[in-house]
Amino acid sequence: MTGMRHKINDRFDFPERIDMALYNIDFLQDTERPPSPDIFELVGILVHTGTAETGHYYSYIRERSSGLEQGGATWVEFNDADVTTFNPAQIPDLCFGGATEPAGYAAASYPKSWNAYMLFYQRTSPADASLPRQQPLLGGPSIKETLPIDLGNRIMVDNEKFLRKYCLYDPAHAGFTVSLLDQLRVITKSSCSDAHTIEEDAVVLALEYSDQVLSRMKDSTDFEKMLDSLNMVLRACPTCCKLALDWVADKKTAFRNLLLRCPAAKVRKGFTDMLVRALRYLRGNDSQEYGFDIDSVELNSDDGLLPESSSGILQRIVGNLQELWPSLHLHARAWDDYFGLLAAIAECGAPEAFLLLREDFLKLCLEVLIIESPGTRRLRVDNPHYHQLLRLIEKGRRYSLTNLTQVLQTLLLKIDLQASPFDPSHHDRTQLYNGYLPLSTIEESYLYYGTESGRSRPLVFLDKIISAHSNPTAVKKILQSMILAEPRAGHLADIAKTILNGIDIEPADLAEPYLMAALTFCETSPTFQTVKDMITQIAREVDTIGTSGGAQHLEFFVQARQLASPRISRRTFNRLIVRTVSLWAPPLLMYYDEAVRQATVDFLRVLIFQYGSQSTESGNDNSELEEYARGLCEACIKRVQDHVIQHQNHVDVKSVEVIREVIRHCVRTYFQTGTAEDDRVAEEAEGTCACKCIRARLGAKQQHSGVRCGSNPLGRGGRRDLFW
């Protein structure tokens, strides 16, 4: 017993005619009496193809009007909307099941997944001759039954709808409709009429046809051609552009279909692109109809008033987007299209961004990002669509955050995070301060919402957009705007903890977006101490990464060395990386991936090993470099002792060889013979490198390469390709 359902596909032959006389009641009651024939003939077969879990049903039906006793009976196949004639000679192959017939040389046979599921037989010689029997008219027309008027009318309407639909989706009809719009420019000679009657008819026809027909066809080529023609019409005349945007704003069902419900990504993307182009064109050519008098809006004054909303095209379309918000969770595949449209609107200019802020889109976006947190139960109770969103996420539904993050970035650029938040229950968002708006108290609580209590806590929304790793550029700008508001905003420790919590993750290669965020933090942080703590903590984490994330962590230190900010010079960043070298380098020198080990050695050469007694360009003089190189050597010795010698661990031969060469290079270059401390370290290093377990691991490889165990692989001059 496996507990699994299984479909039996064994071959089962069934006859075309069957005599049921031996099984009827009369014979069973008196078996000595000769039975009268009771013949049934096959008139229908229900076929199933597929498995016990999934599949498809279709039927083969024998036409009754052809006469059961007459030869040449015709069969018909009913498969969804397809009705075709069927050759009954194919019944054994298509209905009996079993295995396929091998075809060709060395061909194999496979179990058929299609076979009869249910058989229909009809009696042709009734046991009781007195029973009524249908006699078809030989050679005459098929028998027709009189239908009730209501049923007949309904069938006629259904047939007419089918024919209309068939014609609508004919490719020739689509091409004809596209050509009508193309001919508009020919008829009007590229100059619109004053009344715009014919132009309105053509534009509305194109939009209606795109919504009801082209967007629902499997091939989106005609839809793309229609959009190309529409774009040429709309960018040639502000009035035609307004006519199209009026249609989009008024036809809310069509707006939802084209933006969210359409399964074709090209259609959704093409519709949003057309809409954005039309809005931008109207903005530049008829700002009053657009929704703002752009020329009269002054947004850079110290204490300007936010432009009043109106009933312009933009406000109506933004209103449509608001109405779609409660159903957004049902359309996961369209999230990038929905938020891409919002982002494009916000990026048109400051008035558009302020409009979206006034309509609470910043609050709505933050709600989506924190909704999975246990502390947001009240938010889910008050907004049932968030409860449904959470259930879909728990079931594995994936939602793209790429353009949602872009919307956040654009809106936060218009927010002064250092300003005191306002209470939306007492005041409206109408006042500008130095060209920026303050957060509302609700937005502030969402932006800095955390999951732990205490001195610092991870920020849920920030962790969500970093871990998604879908829009690194926008995440970087969001981080920069948040950090630049510090220390006045008072959340620098929360930001740092969010990043460090993400870096401490398993497997460690998932820490890559957090390491990128850490670079932004170090570059933007207002204090040296927070940068130092961040780099030091990441250096300590390298010891815990195991067998993943080595390349990503090494890249962090390589990039951090090149950072510079108004508060911290590049020389200082370089010094911070050098100071922590004993923490991050030994684990990477014994990392399982040879490419990472070699890249670590190459970086150490640039960071430390290439310099002699002269002062370095990056600000580390010889004595400081020597101090940290000596610390690196001792850390490498301890690493080998703890992970190889003491526990007799099985490690990659090459990883032991690389770290051993680094140890010997450091001993020869940075330790002087004749001093007790240096002699002790040199002796410990030689003992570690010459340990029997390491010699056993290295012996085979070194014998093959001609290097003697216990010898100095760097040579007397201390130079080898590993470092030079």
Side-chain angles (χ1 to χ4, degrees):
M1 295 293 292
T2 62
M4 302 292 292
R5 291 189 293 178
H6 177 68
K7 179 187 175 185
I8 299 174
N9 292 310
D10 297 346
R11 183 179 177 89
F12 178 80
D13 295 43
F14 49 86
E16 184 179 352
R17 296 166 59 90
I18 184 171
D19 187 356
M20 299 297 295
L22 299 179
Y23 308 99
N24 61 33
I25 295 177
D26 292 339
F27 177 76
L28 293 176
Q29 289 178 344
D30 186 3
T31 57
E32 295 181 357
R33 179 182 178 183
S36 300
D38 192 6
I39 306 301
F40 286 75
E41 289 203 4
L42 184 67
V43 295
I45 307 170
L46 177 61
V47 180
H48 175 267
T49 178
T51 68
E53 303 294 337
T54 61
H56 177 62
Y57 292 95
Y58 50 96
S59 299
Y60 302 123
I61 301 176
R62 183 177 183 175
E63 288 190 291
R64 305 297 201 277
S65 60
S66 63
L68 295 175
E69 285 103 347
Q70 306 299 325
T74 59
W75 287 70
V76 180
E77 177 182 352
F78 292 85
N79 191 340
D80 290 342
D82 297 326
V83 181
T84 58
T85 58
F86 172 69
N87 183 3
Q90 295 182 290
I91 288 178
D93 182 48
L94 300 179
C95 302
F96 284 0
T100 59
E101 292 293 334
Y105 176 73
S109 61
Y110 301 94
K112 296 178 181 178
S113 61
W114 60 92
N115 39 50
Y117 177 76
M118 185 179 297
L119 304 175
F120 296 84
Y121 286 86
Q122 181 174 329
R123 176 179 278 134
T124 61
S125 57
D128 187 351
S130 63
L131 292 176
R133 187 175 178 190
Q134 177 178 309
Q135 295 291 342
L137 299 175
L138 300 180
S142 299
I143 298 175
K144 293 185 178 180
E145 294 289 342
T146 302
L147 298 176
I149 295 177
D150 292 342
L151 179 58
N153 290 339
R154 190 169 65 185
I155 292 174
M156 290 179 62
V157 170
D158 288 343
N159 289 338
E160 183 179 353
K161 288 181 178 179
F162 175 80
L163 290 174
R164 287 177 177 271
K165 183 178 179 181
Y166 180 83
C167 294
L168 278 175
Y169 288 98
D170 190 315
H173 187 264
F176 169 73
T177 309
V178 173
S179 65
L180 284 178
L181 188 61
D182 290 336
Q183 289 299 312
L184 175 64
R185 297 191 301 275
V186 177
I187 295 172
T188 61
K189 298 180 180 180
S190 301
S191 178
C192 294
S193 62
D194 294 336
H196 271 80
T197 303
I198 189 172
E199 291 84 359
E200 181 176 5
D201 291 341
V203 169
V204 171
L205 172 63
L207 291 169
E208 293 279 1
Y209 191 75
S210 298
D211 168 42
Q212 299 182 25
V213 180
L214 296 181
S215 65
R216 307 180 189 195
M217 298 176 68
K218 293 181 180 180
D219 185 2
S220 60
T221 303
D222 289 319
F223 182 84
E224 294 170 5
K225 292 179 180 177
M226 179 68 83
L227 286 186
D228 290 340
S229 297
L230 264 174
N231 284 325
M232 294 184 68
V233 171
L234 301 187
R235 65 170 176 255
C237 172
T239 304
C240 291
C241 184
K242 180 182 180 300
L243 289 173
L245 291 173
D246 277 332
W247 183 90
V248 172
D250 294 338
K251 302 290 185 178
K252 296 183 179 181
T253 301
F255 182 74
R256 175 176 178 171
N257 290 341
L258 292 169
L259 181 62
L260 298 183
R261 300 185 66 179
C262 180
K266 286 186 177 180
V267 171
R268 300 194 304 271
K269 180 68 164 54
F271 172 71
T272 55
D273 287 347
M274 181 204 73
L275 187 54
V276 171
R277 290 193 192 100
L279 285 171
R280 288 175 176 170
Y281 178 80
L282 192 64
R283 184 183 196 269
N285 291 274
D286 193 344
S287 59
Q288 291 288 355
E289 293 289 349
Y290 174 72
F292 294 114
D293 187 356
I294 303 298
D295 295 333
S296 64
V297 175
E298 296 181 359
L299 299 173
N300 295 321
S301 60
D302 290 340
D303 295 300
L305 291 175
L306 193 64
E308 291 293 331
S309 294
S310 67
S311 58
I313 293 291
L314 177 64
Q315 287 80 359
R316 291 157 60 196
I317 290 177
V318 169
N320 289 351
L321 290 170
Q322 272 188 316
E323 292 181 14
L324 293 178
W325 189 267
S327 62
L328 194 57
H329 64 283
L330 302 174
H331 309 284
R333 62 189 171 193
W335 272 40
D336 272 346
D337 303 291
Y338 179 90
F339 288 106
L341 178 57
L342 276 177
I345 291 174
E347 291 168 357
C348 284
E352 289 82 357
F354 289 135
L355 173 64
L356 295 181
L357 284 168
R358 177 161 33 203
E359 299 302 327
D360 286 334
F361 276 99
L362 176 59
K363 177 179 77 72
L364 294 174
C365 291
L366 291 171
E367 286 176 349
V368 169
L369 294 172
I370 68 171
I371 199 62
E372 295 179 64
S373 180
T376 58
R377 183 177 179 275
R378 171 52 57 185
L379 184 61
R380 297 194 296 271
V381 171
D382 294 341
N383 302 274
H385 54 279
Y386 286 146
H387 176 72
Q388 297 171 19
L389 171 63
L390 182 60
R391 293 192 62 182
L392 290 173
I393 293 174
E394 291 172 347
K395 290 181 179 180
R397 184 77 61 87
R398 299 178 65 86
Y399 295 88
S400 173
L401 302 182
T402 302
N403 287 334
L404 187 153
T405 308
Q406 189 67 38
V407 174
L408 275 178
Q409 177 244 308
T410 306
L411 296 183
L412 283 175
L413 288 178
K414 301 302 179 184
I415 293 290
D416 183 359
L417 295 176
Q418 299 186 58
S420 300
F422 74 95
D423 187 348
S425 62
H426 296 88
H427 304 283
D428 293 329
R429 181 176 261 152
T430 58
Q431 191 74 23
L432 287 170
Y433 302 95
N434 298 321
Y436 295 91
L437 288 172
L439 288 169
S440 71
T441 52
I442 298 176
E443 291 167 347
E444 184 189 43
S445 66
Y446 291 163
L447 190 69
Y448 297 112
Y449 181 81
T451 58
E452 299 178 7
S453 59
R455 183 177 179 182
S456 62
R457 56 186 183 178
L459 304 180
V460 174
F461 111 89
L462 186 58
D463 179 71
K464 187 76 173 179
I465 61 174
I466 294 176
S467 64
H469 198 27
S470 56
N471 194 339
T473 302
V475 170
K476 180 176 181 178
K477 292 182 179 180
I478 290 172
L479 261 175
Q480 287 174 334
S481 63
M482 295 179 68
I483 296 172
L484 288 174
E486 303 298 335
R488 184 171 180 178
H491 294 280
L492 189 62
D494 297 338
I495 298 171
K497 187 165 187 179
T498 304
I499 296 172
L500 290 173
N501 275 17
I503 292 173
D504 183 18
I505 191 174
E506 293 182 3
D509 55 349
L510 298 180
E512 181 179 6
Y514 294 94
L515 291 168
M516 294 171 62
L519 289 171
T520 302
F521 181 91
C522 293
E523 188 177 27
T524 318
S525 179
T527 64
F528 171 78
Q529 187 61 44
T530 55
V531 174
K532 178 183 176 182
D533 292 344
M534 176 68 69
I535 293 176
T536 303
Q537 185 61 33
I538 294 174
R540 290 195 178 102
E541 289 291 338
V542 177
D543 189 47
T544 67
I545 63 175
T547 59
S548 64
Q552 292 82 359
H553 283 75
L554 176 61
E555 184 63 18
F556 167 80
F557 296 107
V558 172
Q559 295 296 326
R561 177 177 177 266
Q562 302 296 325
L563 292 178
S565 71
R567 302 175 181 87
I568 304 174
S569 67
R570 179 171 296 181
R571 294 175 60 184
T572 303
F573 274 110
N574 184 83
R575 184 177 287 110
L576 287 173
I577 302 304
V578 172
R579 286 179 178 177
T580 57
V581 69
S582 60
L583 296 174
W584 56 263
L588 295 178
L589 288 170
M590 290 185 64
Y591 193 68
Y592 85 97
D593 187 349
E594 183 178 1
V596 173
R597 297 195 300 268
Q598 186 59 48
T600 304
V601 172
D602 293 341
F603 184 44
L604 289 175
R605 183 197 309 127
V606 173
L607 194 65
I608 298 175
F609 295 153
Q610 69 169 328
Y611 298 113
S613 59
Q614 295 86 6
S615 297
T616 68
E617 295 179 1
S618 53
N620 295 300
D621 59 26
N622 187 55
S623 61
E624 187 176 5
L625 276 177
E626 181 178 329
E627 175 187 352
Y628 294 118
R630 289 164 62 94
L632 170 63
C633 180
E634 296 188 51
C636 288
I637 294 172
K638 188 175 188 306
R639 180 81 182 181
V640 174
Q641 291 175 343
D642 292 346
H643 290 76
V644 181
I645 299 175
Q646 183 176 354
H647 298 290
Q648 297 291 303
N649 286 338
H650 295 285
V651 296
D652 185 3
V653 171
K654 294 181 179 180
S655 69
V656 180
E657 182 183 19
V658 167
I659 198 169
R660 189 179 76 153
E661 291 173 346
V662 170
I663 292 172
R664 288 189 165 178
H665 176 76
C666 290
V667 169
R668 186 185 60 259
T669 306
Y670 303 105
F671 289 82
Q672 303 296 325
T673 58
T675 63
E677 179 62 21
D678 287 8
D679 288 344
R680 180 192 65 78
V681 174
E683 182 179 353
E684 186 178 7
E686 186 62 27
T688 299
C689 294
C691 181
K692 290 183 179 180
C693 62
I694 295 182
R695 288 166 61 90
R697 288 175 172 83
L698 295 176
K701 179 175 178 61
Q702 290 180 335
Q703 287 173 11
H704 177 73
S705 62
V707 180
R708 180 172 58 86
C709 289
S711 67
N712 184 357
L714 296 174
R716 289 182 177 273
R719 296 196 177 191
R720 191 185 179 196
D721 289 342
L722 182 64
F723 302 112
W724 301 94

